[in-house]
Amino acid sequence: NTALKIRETMNGEIYVSGLSSQEVSSMSDVGRLMEEAAGRRVTAATQMNAVSSRSHAICTLHVSGILSNDSTKFASKLTLVDLAGSERSKKTGA
């Protein structure tokens, strides 16, 4: 496991160095990448949860397209964040 470095650009944008970007064209492509990423996450058993995530996950989707009814172009950004298990360590034994 390599520690990822969080950086900030001169204009205040946050990014993680060393990450890759994947272009997709279908929901099945997104699903495949999400499953691949889930398989790389670190998990461990706790007293409260048999499979508790021990790592954070961030997925940013940049969506763009053209509306069919009037040819309006659109673009949007959706960021999904899943934080590592948040159980209280006293209760979980983590």
Side-chain angles (χ1 to χ4, degrees), residues 46 48-49 51-54 84-92 94:
T46 68
M48 292 179 68
N49 193 344
V51 183
S52 180
S53 173
R54 301 287 98 201
S86 61
E87 306 96 345
R88 299 210 179 263
S89 61
K90 274 187 174 180
K91 290 183 180 179
T92 63

Side-chain angles (χ1 to χ4, degrees), residues 6 14 19-22 24 35-36 38 43 54 56-57 59 63 70 72 83-84 87 92:
I6 298 173
I14 304 297
L19 294 185
S20 64
S21 178
Q22 301 289 322
V24 296
E35 285 181 17
E36 182 182 324
T43 59
R54 301 287 98 201
H56 303 313
C59 175
V63 180
D70 64 0
T72 301
L83 299 178
E87 306 96 345
T92 63

Side-chain angles (χ1 to χ4, degrees), residues 6-63:
I6 298 173
R7 305 282 188 215
E8 185 174 0
T9 64
M10 295 298 283
N11 64 357
E13 291 184 29
I14 304 297
Y15 70 98
V16 180
S17 63
L19 294 185
S20 64
S21 178
Q22 301 289 322
E23 188 168 326
V24 296
S25 58
S26 69
M27 288 302 296
S28 62
D29 288 347
V30 173
R32 178 182 48 78
L33 289 172
M34 295 294 281
E35 285 181 17
E36 182 182 324
R40 294 180 182 178
R41 291 190 73 186
V42 175
T43 59
T46 68
Q47 293 172 5
M48 292 179 68
N49 193 344
V51 183
S52 180
S53 173
R54 301 287 98 201
S55 61
H56 303 313
I58 300 172
C59 175
T60 303
L61 301 170
H62 295 269
V63 180

